[in-house]
Amino acid sequence: MVTFLPSRPGRLADVPSFERAIGGAESNVACALAAAGHTTRWVSRVGADGFGDHLLETIASYGVDTSAVQRDPSRPTGIYFRTAGDRSTDTHEVAYYRTGSAASAMSPTTIDVQALQAANILHLTGITAALSTTCQALLETLTTHPTHAARPLISFDVNYREGLWPNAATAGNTLLTLARNADLVFVGEDEAEEAWGITGGPAAIREALPEPELLVIKNGSRGATVFVRGRAGGCSPAGAGASAALASEAPDSGPDRGRTPPGTPPPHPLREGDTVTTAPALTVDVVAPVGAGDAFAAGFLSATLRGLPPKHRLRHGHLMAAAALTTPGDLAAPPSRAHADRLAALDDTAWGRLRLGPGWTNTADRAQEEVPTP
C-alpha cells in the first residue's frame, strides 16, 4: 500500500499534513533483501492508478523485480494513514483504506502458483490472509500446494493485526493453520498471546507449533529465540522473497536438500531434534518503530540464504531491525554485508555494549555504533 506518514506527532484528527511513502509487510521484506544484495521478486496486485504507479516505481527502485505485479483497472490501490507513535501504545492510530482494493482481490486463480514454486524461499504474512476470503484461500493454497524437490522453503510471518480480522477466533485458527504448514515461522510472544492465548514463553509456543523446521520467536527489545530442527540449521536455499514475493541468490549457493520433506511427522519440539538459540536485541536510539519486524525477518532470511549459523541469523535480524528503527520510514538502507558480518561476529560482551543511533549504517563514520550503553 501507499502509506502517509504524519508531519508531526498527535492524533490523526490533529495532524495537518502527511508525507507519502510505501508500506506493506511483504514488499518491505523484498525491498530490504534487495538492498542487502539478494535477487527478489514481489508478486501482488495494485490499481491502474497513480498510487499503483508510485508503488511499482518505488519498489523497483530498490532492485525488486515487479514484473509479476498485476494492474487492476477496476479496483484502487490500498492506502493508509498512521500516527507517529509506537504501535504498542494506546495513542497509536492507523486508518486503513483498502476494502475492495486490488490486492484484496488476490486469489488462487489470479496468481500463477506454479511460477511461485520457482523461488527458493517464498515469504508470506498473515496480513495478506486477513484482507479477504480469496486472499486467505491463496495463502492456504501456497502453503499446502503439492510439493516436489524444488519446492521453495515457505517462510511465514504471523503479523497478527487484530483490526484486520472479522473476529479473534477466525484469526487464531487461520494463522495457526498457516504457521503449521510453513517451514520457517516468525512470531512475537505478544502475537502468540493475542492470537492464540499462549502465555508460557518460547517453549509453550514451540509446543503449539511443532511442525516448522525453524521457529523464530521475537520478544521486542529483549531479543529473539530460534528453534531449529535437525539439519534445518544448515539450510542455505538459493533465494528469498516476499509474498507474494520471490527471490534467488547466486546460483552456486544451491537449494537446501537437507530439509525434512513436507508431510513428514515432526519430532517432539523440546525432546527430539531441536536446538535452541537466543540472541539479545541491541540498544537502539529509536527514531520510528514501524517496519522493524519486517526488517528483522529480512535480516534473518538474508543470513539464512548465506547459510550462516542460527546465532548469526538472529543477530543479522537485529541489525536489520536497528537500521529500520533509526530511520523515520518503514524502509532503511541496511549496513553493508561486511559491516553487518563484523558486528554479528562480536563476542557476547561486545554485542551487549553496542548502541546504535541514526546514521550507524554509514560505514564511513559508523555514527556512534559502538558507544557503550550506561
Side-chain angles (χ1 to χ4, degrees), residues 35-126:
H38 301 282
T39 304
T40 63
R41 176 182 295 165
W42 179 54
V43 182
S44 188
R45 288 169 62 85
V46 300
D49 50 29
F51 285 149
D53 293 341
H54 174 64
L55 277 178
L56 290 178
E57 292 167 5
T58 305
I59 293 172
S61 72
Y62 282 86
V64 177
D65 178 355
T66 60
S67 62
V69 177
Q70 300 172 353
R71 306 300 297 268
D72 191 325
S74 60
R75 296 173 181 269
T77 301
I79 64 174
Y80 77 102
F81 297 78
R82 66 173 174 83
T83 53
D86 189 335
R87 182 182 284 120
S88 64
T89 69
D90 293 336
T91 61
H92 181 73
E93 296 175 76
V94 179
Y96 291 106
Y97 298 92
R98 57 181 169 191
T99 300
S101 69
S104 71
M106 288 190 296
S107 74
T109 61
T110 64
I111 297 295
D112 186 349
V113 174
Q114 283 194 324
L116 296 178
Q117 305 303 312
N120 287 276
I121 292 182
L122 172 62
H123 183 68
L124 313 165
T125 83

Side-chain angles (χ1 to χ4, degrees), residues 209-230:
L209 284 173
E211 295 87 354
E213 296 169 29
L214 298 100
L215 175 62
V216 180
I217 300 168
K218 300 174 292 181
N219 192 10
S221 61
R222 296 179 60 186
T225 298
V226 60
F227 291 80
V228 181
R229 175 166 306 116

Side-chain angles (χ1 to χ4, degrees), residues 56-206:
L56 290 178
E57 292 167 5
T58 305
I59 293 172
S61 72
Y62 282 86
V64 177
D65 178 355
T66 60
S67 62
V69 177
Q70 300 172 353
R71 306 300 297 268
D72 191 325
S74 60
R75 296 173 181 269
T77 301
I79 64 174
Y80 77 102
F81 297 78
R82 66 173 174 83
T83 53
D86 189 335
R87 182 182 284 120
S88 64
T89 69
D90 293 336
T91 61
H92 181 73
E93 296 175 76
V94 179
Y96 291 106
Y97 298 92
R98 57 181 169 191
T99 300
S101 69
S104 71
M106 288 190 296
S107 74
T109 61
T110 64
I111 297 295
D112 186 349
V113 174
Q114 283 194 324
L116 296 178
Q117 305 303 312
N120 287 276
I121 292 182
L122 172 62
H123 183 68
L124 313 165
T125 83
I127 292 177
T128 296
L131 297 183
S132 65
T133 56
T134 59
C135 283
Q136 180 179 328
L138 171 62
L139 263 66
E140 290 170 349
T141 298
L142 293 174
T143 54
T144 59
H145 194 268
T147 58
H148 48 77
R151 171 187 182 270
L153 184 147
I154 303 296
S155 169
F156 179 68
D157 192 337
V158 172
N159 248 329
Y160 176 57
R161 299 288 184 269
E162 181 181 6
L164 297 180
W165 292 90
N167 59 72
T170 298
N173 292 335
T174 300
L175 294 172
L176 190 61
T177 298
L178 293 172
R180 285 175 170 168
N181 287 331
D183 302 308
L184 164 59
V185 172
F186 298 94
V187 62
E189 287 193 38
D190 55 344
E191 292 177 310
E193 180 176 358
E194 294 169 4
W196 304 319
I198 300 173
T199 59
I205 298 172
R206 184 52 156 167

